[in-house]
Amino acid sequence: MNEQFDLSTLRHTAAHILAQAVKRLFPDVKLAIGPSIADGFYYDFETKTPFTPQDLTAIEKEMKKIVKENLQIEQFTLPRDEALAWADAQGEAYKRELIEGLPDGETATFYKQGEFTDLCAGPHMPRTKDARVFKLTSVAGAYWRGDEKNAMLSRIYGTAFFTKDELNAHLEAIEEAKKRDHRKLGKEMKLFAFMDEGPGFPFYYPKGVTLKNNLIEYWRRVHKRYGYREISTPIMLVGDLWHRSGHYEKYRENMYATSLDDTDYFIKPMNCPGGMLLYNTELHSYKELPLRMAELGIIHRAEKSGALHGLARARLFTQDDAHIYMTHEQAKDEIIGVITLFEEVYAAFGLDDFKFELSTRPENSIGTEEDWEKSTDALRNALEELGREYVVNEGDGAFYGPKIDFHIKDCMGRSFQCGTIQFDMQMPERFDLTYVGSDGQKHRPVMIHRACFGSIERFLAILIEHCAGWFPFWLTPVQIAIIPIAERHQEAAQNVLAKLTAAGLRAEVDMRNEKMGFKIREAQLSKIPVMIILGDSEIEQNKISVRSRENGDEGQKDLAECIEKWKLKS
């Protein structure tokens, strides 16, 4: 590694080498942008026909030539007018648009390598040979500036590293991620599906429903133990409510709307307004506070089609929401309680590598500076009392308050923003929430919005990929597959099934007229952790043969003893 330059600079340079190679092979393409990103880089091009995998092979070959030429990379600047003239002379309309967006009086920065010049703020490596370890990975479509009203461009993705070993490790991780892709495994395991008739709206198979319900039942047990009371609010509410809450102004483009009896309605994109309406139906005393109200609310959001990604980014999901109504004096202890709950839940799924991020006031916020300072201090003090390290993400809070986000790492080292704790002094004001204090007067509570999983669907996506479909025994939809070797063994298999079911275990019998080896492979593909094999020997000895993912072939066992062991794991 060159100690003078970071990975982002290296990848930015590789993006320019990519653009130079494309211009050599396809002179008529128009250049858009080519930044470095978390796992590599990309460059967007306007082209009459999208790039193909064969094109990527040719482009990579040309990139290697450019690296071998060891071109010097030079920076220079031009006044705005000269920069615009350059863009016009090159026929680069996207570059012209970028130059036009520069502040008045600011010069445009360019980088030149050989015959290739590009508008770019930099920085870059000194020479093209410095970015010699790279790989192009895929092609996708992308709207200019991310706006679907703009032209669709062709985006080439790649990655670059300082050493071949780092690149090879990264490419192996990509292949492993493909194997674990929750969309692929969800289909193979018959958990869920997506249909053209409902893009972005998941359909669940019976096994998927069992998996989802198991997760929800666990969620309910934990929240009951932590003193939460579950509520349910309507999926659709009148338009005026969303104006009052402020969500209409912030999220209108993602809200589904309809009209009934000349009144506008919106399908809820979040649960909080309904929860506050419910709070206001009763007169609350300070003795009730803190009041912890949880809701598994079905949410709809009109996500753009290009942003959809299986369960991880869907248009319908179940948000595991909760709102805590409290006094300012109770805030720190309540936040500590939420953090403790979240840590317990994540640990139950083997997700114990996470970081905390404290996000502060954004530009488009509501409320006074004093409110924001008090709210932010409450979150910060809770983290510090628990001794949790955290980073500050300036200006990325919700529009109504600061927040703590949990960033979880899976077994492949990928980070996901999952749980969130959002402090709010604005919604209680907007909805005129009150409680009667010890002085007999009405006072304004403060509140926390919090979600542990974020959504049931998104957490399932993370979990499927983290576990590669091999869920903990207690969570897995089918815990035991019973495989009769021949038709004459099916009655005994049904008797075993009845005993397992009576014990609360989830099992199924494979009654298909297939060979035992095929059935075993099918059970493995379905990620069923335990198999029971039944043949003449097992029936004669009143035993079962057990195969498990954990121990392989365990030989013949007593069914009653196995049931007791499996019940402990459930």
Side-chain angles (χ1 to χ4, degrees), residues 490-508:
Q490 289 181 0
E491 182 178 350
Q494 291 292 348
N495 290 334
V496 170
L497 175 64
K499 291 177 181 179
L500 293 171
T501 303
L505 296 164
R506 296 183 295 278
E508 61 181 24

Side-chain angles (χ1 to χ4, degrees), residues 33 76-87 93-110 118-122 144-145:
I33 57 171
F76 66 92
T77 59
L78 291 176
R80 180 189 178 93
D81 290 346
E82 291 182 31
L84 289 171
W86 170 86
Y94 297 103
K95 300 298 181 183
R96 165 174 259 281
E97 186 175 328
L98 292 171
I99 295 166
E100 288 174 341
L102 293 173
D104 291 340
E106 185 171 318
T107 58
T109 304
F110 294 82
D118 199 1
L119 173 74
C120 181
W144 169 237
R145 294 186 179 274

Side-chain angles (χ1 to χ4, degrees), residues 469-522:
W470 292 103
F471 304 110
F473 187 80
W474 63 269
L475 182 65
T476 194
V478 178
Q479 296 168 316
I480 303 159
I482 306 167
I483 302 175
I485 294 175
E487 186 175 350
R488 63 181 179 275
H489 307 126
Q490 289 181 0
E491 182 178 350
Q494 291 292 348
N495 290 334
V496 170
L497 175 64
K499 291 177 181 179
L500 293 171
T501 303
L505 296 164
R506 296 183 295 278
E508 61 181 24
V509 179
D510 191 337
M511 304 283 280
R512 292 175 297 174
N513 185 25
E514 300 284 357
K515 293 181 179 179
M516 185 180 71
F518 175 84
K519 293 180 179 182
I520 289 173
R521 285 193 297 274
E522 286 286 290

Side-chain angles (χ1 to χ4, degrees), residues 441-550:
Q441 301 300 309
K442 287 188 176 181
H443 300 271
R444 186 81 68 208
V446 294
M447 65 183 293
I448 291 172
H449 307 250
R450 43 114 300 181
C452 183
F453 295 141
S455 81
I456 299 296
E457 283 72 13
R458 186 167 182 270
F459 190 77
L460 282 175
I462 294 170
L463 195 59
I464 289 168
E465 296 185 4
H466 177 67
C467 300
W470 292 103
F471 304 110
F473 187 80
W474 63 269
L475 182 65
T476 194
V478 178
Q479 296 168 316
I480 303 159
I482 306 167
I483 302 175
I485 294 175
E487 186 175 350
R488 63 181 179 275
H489 307 126
Q490 289 181 0
E491 182 178 350
Q494 291 292 348
N495 290 334
V496 170
L497 175 64
K499 291 177 181 179
L500 293 171
T501 303
L505 296 164
R506 296 183 295 278
E508 61 181 24
V509 179
D510 191 337
M511 304 283 280
R512 292 175 297 174
N513 185 25
E514 300 284 357
K515 293 181 179 179
M516 185 180 71
F518 175 84
K519 293 180 179 182
I520 289 173
R521 285 193 297 274
E522 286 286 290
Q524 290 172 333
L525 285 173
S526 296
K527 313 292 185 183
I528 299 174
V530 175
M531 286 174 262
I532 292 175
I533 314 297
L534 286 176
D536 291 336
S537 174
E538 288 78 16
I539 293 171
E540 288 170 6
Q541 299 182 51
N542 195 27
K543 299 283 186 179
I544 58 171
S545 286
V546 177
R547 294 172 62 96
S548 69
R549 179 174 183 263
E550 189 177 7

Side-chain angles (χ1 to χ4, degrees), residues 373-441:
E373 187 175 339
K374 284 183 179 179
S375 304
T376 306
D377 284 345
L379 295 172
R380 181 184 292 109
N381 292 340
L383 286 168
E384 291 178 354
E385 183 162 319
L386 285 170
R388 303 295 187 263
E389 294 183 3
Y390 63 94
V391 297
V392 177
N393 187 6
E394 296 288 354
D396 200 44
F399 72 91
Y400 47 73
K403 61 178 180 172
I404 295 172
D405 287 330
F406 286 67
H407 291 266
I408 295 176
K409 275 192 178 180
D410 68 4
C411 66
M412 291 182 287
R414 300 176 303 177
S415 182
F416 301 91
Q417 192 274 306
C418 208
T420 187
I421 306 170
Q422 301 174 351
F423 201 102
D424 188 357
M425 295 176 65
Q426 310 310 320
M427 292 299 117
E429 189 73 32
R430 289 193 170 206
F431 282 83
D432 193 26
L433 304 188
T434 61
Y435 68 91
V436 178
S438 57
D439 58 0
Q441 301 300 309

